[in-house]
Amino acid sequence: MKQDLIRAYDMLPDSGLVLCAVSGGADSMCLLAWMQELSLQYGFSVAAAHYNHGLRGAAADRDEAFVQEYCIAHQIPFYVEHGDVRTAAQTHDWSLEEAGRNLRYAFLEKTAQRVGAVRVATAHHRGDNAETVLMNLIRGTGLTGLSGIQPVRGIFIRPLLDTSREEIERYLHERQIGFVEDETNRELVYTRNRIRHEVLPLLQELNPRVEEALNKTAQLLRQDDAYLNKMAGRACQSVQRCEDYVSLERAVLIDLPTALQSRVVRHMFDLLHASKKDVTARHIQAVLELVKNSGPTAQLSLPRGIIARNVYEMFRLYAQRQHVLERRMLLPVGEVRAGGWHVRCCVTQEAIEERPGRLILNNDAIAEPVYVDHWQPQDRMTLPGQEGSRSLKRLFVDVGIGMKEREETPVIYVGNRVAAVLGIGVDRQFAEKKKNLKYVLDFEKR
C-alpha cells in the first residue's frame, strides 16, 4: 500500500487517536487494518466507528456484529450508533443517500469529539473519486465539483484515495482479512451504482485506465481550484467589513477576471459569516448582473435573509439576520455553534440543577434525531401542567419575547415535533423524569 498521498497531505498524526469509519465492507476493513499497521510506524492509536442506518434489517445487524467481532479480536475500541435514515429522509425531504450521509457524518463528528479523535479516516478510494467526478459532471458543476473528493477536509482524511479497488482486495487477500458485502451496492436505482456498474465499464472499453485518468484530472483541477481560490482571497483584501455587511467597490469586482468574480462573491459570503448552503450558481450570476448592469441603489434578495445591494459605487452584502440559526442543525453530544449560540449537550443520570440557558429533557422520550432550528408559525407545544397545546407565537407573547428576538431563539425539535424552546420550557412529552437519563442542553451567547 502506497503512502505517497498520506505524506503529501500530512494526514496522519504522530500521536493521538485516529477514528476509522468502518462499514464492514472491503474498503473500510482495508482502511482499519492498514491504519492499525501504520499506527505502529507513526505512534497514533486507532478506533472504529460503525453507523447502522436501519435500512437493511438483519443484514445491517450482521455487518455491525462482524465489525464488532473484528475489533474485539484485534483490541480496537469500537463505537456504534443506530439511526433511522428513512424517517430522516422523509422529515427533511432528503434522498435516502443524502440522509444516510448526513446522519453518518454527524455520528462520526460527535463520536470524534466525544472520544478525542484528532483525525477521522474514511475509506474513499480511487474508484469512488472517479464516480464522484462523473456524477458531478452529469449533474452540471464547476471546477470545485470536477475536483472530486478532497483528500483532507477538516479532521476528515481519505488515506485510500489514490488506491484502486484491486489493490484493496489484494491487501485483504494477502492478510486473510474478511469483509461483508452490502447487497444494495448492486441496486441500479442509485445513481452512483449505475455509474459504477454501467457507465464506467463502457468508458473502460475506450480507455482501460479511465479511472486513473479521471483521478489525475481531478487532481489537476483541484490544484487550479485552490489557486483561483487563493487569488480570490487576495482580491477580498479590499473588502470592507462592518458589523452587518461587507462592502467592495463595484469597479474592483467588475475589473476582475471572469474566473474570479463569482469566487469573490462567495468569499464575501464567508466574510459575512453567511451560509452558502442554498446559494446556487444562478444566485451568484444574479448578484454579478446586479453589480454590472443595475442602478446605483438596486438590490436583490438572496437565501437566508441576505441582501445584495448597490450603494452607488459600492457593492454590499447585508446579513439582515446575522445570528439566525441554521436550518435544521443536528445537536450531537458535545459542543456545537448554532447561530449566535454556543451549545453544549450531554446525556447523564446525575442530578442537574435548573438554570437560565439550560434545557433538561427526558432522554428516554427521544426516539428521533435532535435538532435546533427557528420557530415556525405552525409550531405548538404543551407545557407541563397544562392540558392543551398552545402556539409558540402565543407563548412568546406571554413571556415577552419580541419579534426580532424570536428569530434568534433556539427551538429544539425531536424529529419534527417541538420538544423545548429556550426561555419558554420543555414540552410535556419530553419533560425530565427524575429516575431517567437526562438530555441536557446548555446555551451561551457567543
Side-chain angles (χ1 to χ4, degrees):
M1 300 286 284
K2 306 183 297 291
Q3 294 189 44
D4 297 356
L5 190 72
I6 288 174
R7 295 191 181 102
Y9 286 89
D10 192 24
M11 289 186 184
L12 295 177
D14 294 329
S15 61
L17 177 66
V18 174
L19 183 68
C20 297
V22 185
S23 67
D27 310 333
S28 64
M29 292 306 297
C30 173
L31 173 73
L32 181 59
W34 192 36
M35 288 299 100
Q36 194 173 30
E37 280 187 22
L38 293 179
S39 69
L40 302 176
Q41 175 185 335
Y42 283 81
F44 59 84
S45 57
V46 175
H50 178 86
Y51 190 77
N52 188 325
H53 294 79
L55 291 172
R56 296 166 46 243
D61 295 337
R62 172 209 65 191
D63 295 354
E64 178 186 329
F66 172 81
V67 177
Q68 185 173 21
E69 288 170 7
Y70 181 92
C71 289
I72 291 172
H74 292 81
Q75 297 181 321
I76 299 172
F78 173 73
Y79 304 96
V80 64
E81 181 170 285
H82 291 240
D84 187 347
V85 171
R86 200 174 301 280
T87 297
Q90 293 170 350
T91 300
H92 306 295
D93 194 26
W94 293 333
S95 68
L96 283 178
E97 290 173 286
E98 186 180 14
R101 183 185 186 281
N102 289 343
L103 295 186
R104 183 169 63 254
Y105 272 89
F107 159 65
L108 292 172
E109 287 178 345
K110 73 179 182 183
T111 302
Q113 192 171 47
R114 178 163 60 91
V115 303
V118 294
R119 301 283 194 280
V120 178
T122 67
H124 295 91
H125 58 81
R126 197 168 71 187
D128 294 323
N129 201 26
E131 293 161 13
T132 298
V133 171
L134 288 174
M135 284 179 65
N136 289 337
L137 180 63
I138 291 166
R139 292 168 175 168
T141 186
L143 201 55
T144 301
L146 292 177
S147 299
I149 300 171
Q150 297 295 319
V152 176
R153 180 178 61 82
I155 65 169
F156 287 92
I157 59 174
R158 280 87 186 210
L160 296 175
L161 202 58
D162 63 347
T163 304
S164 69
R165 176 66 184 224
E166 291 74 22
E167 290 173 297
I168 288 170
E169 291 178 348
R170 185 165 60 249
Y171 177 90
L172 294 174
H173 176 73
E174 289 172 353
R175 288 157 179 78
Q176 297 184 330
I177 298 171
F179 59 91
V180 290
E181 292 278 5
D182 182 349
E183 63 280 1
T184 62
N185 286 337
R186 295 200 168 273
E187 293 179 3
L188 298 182
V189 295
Y190 300 111
T191 302
R192 182 175 289 274
N193 287 353
R194 292 197 66 186
I195 289 174
R196 179 179 303 162
H197 299 298
E198 294 183 343
V199 177
L200 270 172
L202 287 174
L203 294 176
Q204 284 166 344
E205 292 180 9
L206 300 174
N207 178 4
R209 301 178 65 179
V210 66
E211 187 180 284
E212 183 179 342
L214 287 168
N215 276 264
K216 182 61 177 178
T217 298
Q219 180 185 359
L220 294 172
L221 293 179
R222 197 180 303 129
Q223 294 169 357
D224 292 348
D225 193 41
Y227 175 78
L228 289 172
N229 281 331
K230 183 179 180 179
M231 292 299 100
R234 288 183 180 177
C236 282
Q237 292 176 359
S238 301
V239 173
Q240 302 171 19
R241 283 174 276 187
C242 298
E243 184 176 354
D244 61 348
Y245 69 85
V246 291
S247 181
L248 180 65
E249 288 186 41
R250 293 170 67 187
V252 170
L253 184 55
I254 291 170
D255 288 344
L256 287 172
T258 303
L260 292 182
Q261 290 176 355
S262 61
R263 291 170 185 270
V264 168
V265 173
R266 290 183 178 276
H267 274 282
M268 290 178 72
F269 272 86
D270 293 335
L271 293 172
L272 193 61
H273 301 295
S275 172
K276 303 192 295 288
K277 182 177 183 297
D278 297 324
V279 177
T280 66
R282 178 174 56 83
H283 291 116
I284 298 297
Q285 191 56 45
V287 168
L288 292 174
E289 186 67 23
L290 173 83
V291 173
K292 296 174 183 178
N293 300 318
S294 297
T297 59
Q299 70 175 38
L300 177 69
S301 295
L302 298 167
R304 309 284 179 139
I306 304 300
I307 299 295
R309 180 180 298 163
N310 291 336
V311 183
Y312 297 96
E313 76 278 4
M314 304 300 292
F315 162 65
R316 290 179 180 175
L317 278 179
Y318 288 84
Q320 287 192 323
R321 297 156 62 187
Q322 193 168 4
H323 295 298
V324 168
L325 297 163
E326 296 283 346
R327 300 298 298 176
R328 280 292 187 189
M329 184 174 180
L330 276 167
L331 284 180
V333 172
E335 300 185 14
V336 296
R337 290 189 175 185
W341 298 93
H342 184 85
V343 190
R344 295 183 183 88
C345 174
C346 70
V347 177
T348 181
Q349 201 163 16
E350 298 177 2
I352 298 293
E353 179 184 356
E354 294 188 6
R355 63 172 178 78
R358 173 173 285 169
L359 293 169
I360 306 175
L361 283 66
N362 173 14
N363 188 68
D364 292 353
I366 298 173
E368 296 181 81
V370 180
Y371 300 90
V372 61
D373 202 347
H374 313 288
W375 77 288
Q376 302 297 317
Q378 70 273 17
D379 284 340
R380 305 180 70 86
M381 66 185 296
T382 303
L383 293 173
Q386 297 183 0
E387 292 301 322
S389 66
R390 303 180 69 193
S391 70
L392 292 198
K393 182 178 180 180
R394 182 71 257 172
L395 291 170
F396 281 136
V397 171
D398 289 349
V399 299
I401 297 178
M403 291 293 294
K404 182 178 180 181
E405 191 179 357
R406 293 174 199 176
E407 298 301 325
E408 303 175 9
T409 298
V411 178
I412 308 304
Y413 295 84
V414 174
N416 51 10
R417 180 187 174 109
V418 176
V421 182
L422 194 64
I424 292 179
V426 179
D427 184 88
R428 184 174 64 188
Q429 177 181 337
F430 300 97
E432 174 191 359
K433 301 293 190 296
K434 297 299 181 184
K435 294 183 179 180
N436 290 19
L437 281 172
K438 303 171 183 65
Y439 195 95
V440 184
L441 293 162
D442 284 314
F443 290 81
E444 291 182 10
K445 275 284 190 182
R446 289 196 295 172

